[in-house]
Amino acid sequence: MGDGEMAAQALLPPTQFGVASYWETADPALMFDTIQNGSLESGMPGFGEGQNSNPLSETQIWDVIAALTELPSLNQPIPTAAVQGQVTNQTTGEVVTEGTVFLQAFTADFEEGLRLEQPLTADGRFNFALQDVPPQWVYRVIIRTADGLEFGSEFGQLSPNQPTLELALGTYAPTQDAAVLAIAQLDVFVEFSPAAVSVSELYLLDNRSNAVFVGETGDFTEGTVQINVPEGAQNVSFWRGLGTSAADFVPADEQMRPLSATTWAFARPVSAGEAVLQLVVRYDLPYNRQATISHPAPYPIGQANLFVPQGAVAVDGTAGEWQPTTSLVPNFEQYQRPSLLAGQSLAISLSGHPAWVTDSDGNLLPNRDAQQELWLGLGALGLALGAAVYTVYHWRTSPPPLHPRDALLQALAALDAAHEQHPLPKRAHEQQRQTLKRELLAVWED
Ligand code: HEM
């Protein structure tokens, strides 16, 4: 509380770390600097190397900062609080007066701490009155509209100083018009194994309307966005990108519905906006000195990139559409082709004997993990996409402290960074990643 014995000697009142409001603007780097070097103007001594006869190491300083975040006074429950707001239809600008609103609270460990529901009032408002809630929880509201669609708000926090949280919640009108969909970018990654070529196609999808696309039948469970694979594709699997900064993809097979042997459909509504969906489809094709990756573009494709392992094989675009370009991804050659219209075929002919292959254990590539490289590659690429700008902008404008999504994405990135510096046993690393990803999925907004 900044009221210890030495406080009287300071020129300014020492900072109070035991009040929650401090943490709303706390800057760990500045804290580190102040503890290390002290502050002459305010009369705080330095505790770092060269500043003190019994200095703290850098690790010890970080430990001190971590300990400050757990002061008991910070855990006092907030006696009375409220989460409230009004729901507007972003398509029409009108206030929404029908629907059920759910309040969800997550604990610091990303467990669901609370779930309440109430109907919208006649003036389109919701107001959840809360008592004795822990201060570290994060909240969001979700509305289920009369047409069965769900929309979520950003996350927010309560504090003893600000016990009322206003959360904006918007809905969108549904549209059944598939012409609102466009593929801003398609990235095709190719890998070889002894008798097959594995293809990963990353679709970055825009919904260029101000309405949520619910599929052409109007029932999103029957399918919204369609994805095509070549005839004879085997081991088809789907993944969804969760933001670009941590470059992470989670299995999405359960969100896909087969429509035919070569067409699948995403069985979720697609919200309005740019880069609203990142879908990866992976499949294998037999490869014996040659293979053709060919299927129609389901929607217009703005830009298409192809990534082939360096020195592996020759790429013959029909009529030379695929042009080599400077590669954004290490160890891959990159090709580009002009935009495609919906229905136009994506034709990639690969030929030749791959310079190297990956067997199922990765034996032919000591010290290299092709799968991991692929995800790293996808991630590096994701960063280069406009999606990165969009996502980062979006996160910047949402409240900075402890957004569970961001915190989890950061945790994933930190885990990978730590693994790079001091490799954890592969199994342990993977296990920790899976746990984080499960938690991430639980809080990811659709
Ligand atoms: C466990 C020991 C201490 C730690 C970890 C610590 C940490 C910090 C940190 C991180 C800040 C910067 C806060 C911010 O601006 O965000 C700060 C500010 C300050 N500290 Fe300390 N400090 C300690 C001991 C002391 C002592 C012994 C004194 C006084 C004798 C002192 C006096 C101050 C003062 C006056 C400020 C500046 C307040 C202001 O500029 O508004 N601190 N301290």
Side-chain angles (χ1 to χ4, degrees):
M1 299 310 290
D3 57 359
E5 253 175 58
M6 288 176 77
Q9 301 167 20
L11 306 173
L12 290 172
T15 311
Q16 298 187 322
F17 300 106
V19 299
S21 58
Y22 172 76
W23 296 99
E24 283 161 21
T25 55
D27 174 353
L30 179 95
M31 296 179 74
F32 183 91
D33 189 61
T34 312
I35 300 170
Q36 169 126 304
N37 301 313
S39 157
L40 259 179
E41 317 83 78
S42 59
M44 166 166 165
F47 293 89
E49 215 58 69
Q51 302 286 331
N52 196 291
S53 58
N54 184 15
L56 299 175
S57 69
E58 295 201 354
T59 315
Q60 286 172 321
I61 294 178
W62 285 119
D63 287 347
V64 169
I65 294 172
L68 293 177
T69 65
E70 285 168 11
L71 289 173
S73 64
L74 292 171
N75 293 320
Q76 293 295 319
I78 305 167
T80 52
V83 179
Q84 60 187 41
Q86 191 171 39
V87 186
T88 41
N89 182 322
Q90 302 292 312
T91 310
T92 63
E94 283 164 15
V95 169
V96 178
T97 55
E98 262 179 80
T100 309
V101 180
F102 299 86
L103 174 74
Q104 244 184 328
F106 293 95
T107 69
D109 301 322
F110 313 111
E111 306 273 337
E112 193 176 77
L114 182 75
R115 182 186 267 262
L116 299 171
E117 67 173 90
Q118 61 179 229
L120 268 181
T121 61
D123 56 353
R125 295 196 61 89
F126 55 90
N127 187 347
F128 292 95
L130 305 171
Q131 256 132 39
D132 289 325
V133 289
Q136 320 85 340
W137 284 9
V138 286
Y139 299 84
R140 72 159 169 193
V141 281
I142 298 169
I143 178 155
R144 188 175 300 150
T145 60
D147 38 22
L149 298 172
E150 287 188 2
F151 302 89
S153 70
E154 293 286 348
F155 289 88
Q157 263 189 301
L158 293 165
S159 73
N161 291 351
Q162 283 175 310
T164 302
L165 175 64
E166 181 86 19
L167 287 176
L169 188 54
T171 65
Y172 288 89
T175 176
Q176 291 170 229
D177 182 4
V180 303
L181 301 178
I183 296 157
Q185 187 164 329
L186 170 64
D187 296 312
V188 182
F189 284 80
V190 164
E191 270 185 299
F192 292 93
S193 55
V197 54
S198 298
V199 182
S200 302
E201 299 185 18
L202 165 61
Y203 288 84
L204 185 71
L205 205 102
D206 292 349
N207 170 353
R208 297 181 179 166
S209 76
N210 201 20
V212 54
F213 180 61
V214 291
E216 288 174 286
T217 65
D219 176 359
F220 63 81
T221 62
E222 289 175 12
T224 55
V225 172
Q226 299 194 0
I227 298 289
N228 297 321
V229 298
E231 254 167 65
Q234 292 156 6
N235 309 323
V236 180
S237 64
F238 293 90
W239 308 74
R240 256 183 95 177
L242 300 183
T244 47
S245 59
D248 238 294
F249 294 83
V250 295
D253 290 337
E254 282 165 19
Q255 303 172 10
M256 302 299 297
R257 227 189 109 104
L259 298 184
S260 75
T262 56
T263 306
W264 268 258
F266 184 57
R268 297 273 175 99
V270 181
S271 42
E274 286 180 2
V276 285
L277 182 63
Q278 289 177 49
L279 260 186
V280 175
V281 56
R282 287 201 84 176
Y283 53 82
D284 297 333
L285 288 172
Y287 188 83
N288 184 8
R289 294 195 164 262
Q290 99 84 36
T292 300
I293 303 169
S294 180
H295 63 72
Y299 310 102
I301 300 179
Q303 195 190 329
N305 294 305
L306 168 65
F307 297 86
V308 182
Q310 224 156 41
V313 290
V315 174
D316 317 311
T318 339
E321 304 105 334
W322 291 101
Q323 291 298 325
T325 176
T326 319
S327 182
L328 282 170
V329 180
N331 305 323
F332 282 82
E333 284 165 15
Q334 183 175 347
Y335 297 80
Q336 273 179 342
R337 60 148 296 152
S339 54
L340 281 98
L341 301 172
Q344 217 176 332
S345 178
L346 177 91
I348 305 166
S349 297
L350 303 169
S351 60
H353 195 69
W356 52 264
V357 295
T358 323
D359 73 4
S360 52
D361 302 323
N363 277 339
L364 295 182
L365 289 173
N367 304 325
R368 277 171 81 173
D369 177 344
Q371 165 99 5
Q372 187 172 321
E373 233 169 53
L374 177 78
W375 296 133
L376 279 179
L378 287 172
L381 203 82
L383 274 177
L385 305 178
V389 179
Y390 173 84
T391 313
V392 168
Y393 172 73
H394 217 71
W395 288 351
R396 282 260 178 88
T397 53
S398 58
L402 234 175
H403 190 307
R405 247 182 359 195
D406 290 356
L408 280 166
L409 286 167
Q410 277 167 21
L412 263 178
L415 178 67
D416 287 347
H419 177 63
E420 235 161 68
Q421 287 193 339
H422 312 279
L424 303 164
K426 196 174 157 153
R427 190 94 160 282
H429 179 225
E430 263 316 306
Q431 248 164 22
Q432 290 183 29
R433 295 192 96 240
Q434 291 310 332
T435 313
L436 283 169
K437 280 195 196 173
R438 260 200 309 279
E439 288 168 350
L440 193 53
L441 256 192
V443 300
W444 198 261
E445 299 176 80
D446 270 308

